[in-house]
Structures are given as C-alpha cells and as structure tokens.
Amino acid sequence: RSGPAIVVFFVSLLTTFAMEQQCPSDSAVIGRAPQCEGCPGQAYCQAAGGEDPDQKAIDIRMGAVKHKLLVVSGKGGVGKSSVAANLSMMLASAGNKVQTEAVNTHTHT
C-alpha cells in the first residue's frame, strides 16, 4: 500500500522562545550557548548534541510524500484544525490521497 500524496499538517507553536532568543544553529554549542539558558528544550538539545535521533527515519518517510501543506499559527483558537480538515476534505474529494496530522511543538524549532 502506498502512502498519501499530500499530507496536511496543522501546527500549534506553543512557545516563541526560538524567535525571541535566537537559538544557535552551530551543533557544537546547541544547548550550551548563553541564549539557551531558560529554554524549555535546553536539556533535550544538550542530550541530543543538536541532532534529532529520529531525523533520518522522518526524512525517509517524508521524502515519499509528494506535497506537504502546513496550516500554522502561534496562537490557539484561530481555526487551524478547521482549515486543515476542510482543506483535506477538499483535496480528497478531488481524488487525492490525503493524510492530516496534528503537530504540537513545546520547545524551539
């Protein structure tokens, strides 16, 4: 069985820490830089050394999906779920194979 041709994600960003604090992109200092102090994801970054152990599997699976759509807002209660559901239904009714996923981020991205 093949996977969906389109995946619609609705994303809740539960913190804006990364935007406010300028998270480092250098893996040598991720989780250890001064701007990491107080970040709710600091321990994760330190333990992972800046690398997500699941990233390779995610890349393989997402590589098989032809189109990825994001419905994103930094605020709750604005209708992300409704927009994603209606968009998914419209795409599916047009004959596309669609999957809808909810994503909640609790730390920096």
Side-chain angles (χ1 to χ4, degrees), residues 24-59:
S25 58
D26 179 3
S27 62
V29 298
I30 287 179
R32 295 171 184 80
Q35 63 265 41
C36 297
E37 288 299 317
C39 175
Q42 183 178 12
Y44 174 81
C45 289
Q46 285 175 342
E51 299 292 327
D52 184 344
D54 298 321
Q55 191 62 52
K56 186 174 181 178
I58 292 168
D59 290 343

Side-chain angles (χ1 to χ4, degrees), residues 60-83:
I60 291 169
R61 286 184 158 178
M62 292 305 291
V65 178
K66 189 172 182 179
H67 302 285
K68 299 145 193 103
L69 304 173
L70 297 176
V71 178
V72 182
S73 173
K75 182 179 182 320
V78 296
K80 294 179 298 290
S81 300
S82 297
V83 170

Side-chain angles (χ1 to χ4, degrees), residues 86-103:
N86 288 325
L87 182 60
S88 296
M89 289 174 54
M90 180 202 64
L91 291 166
S93 68
N96 296 292
K97 195 169 182 183
V98 180
Q99 178 175 330
T100 305
E101 296 288 335
V103 179

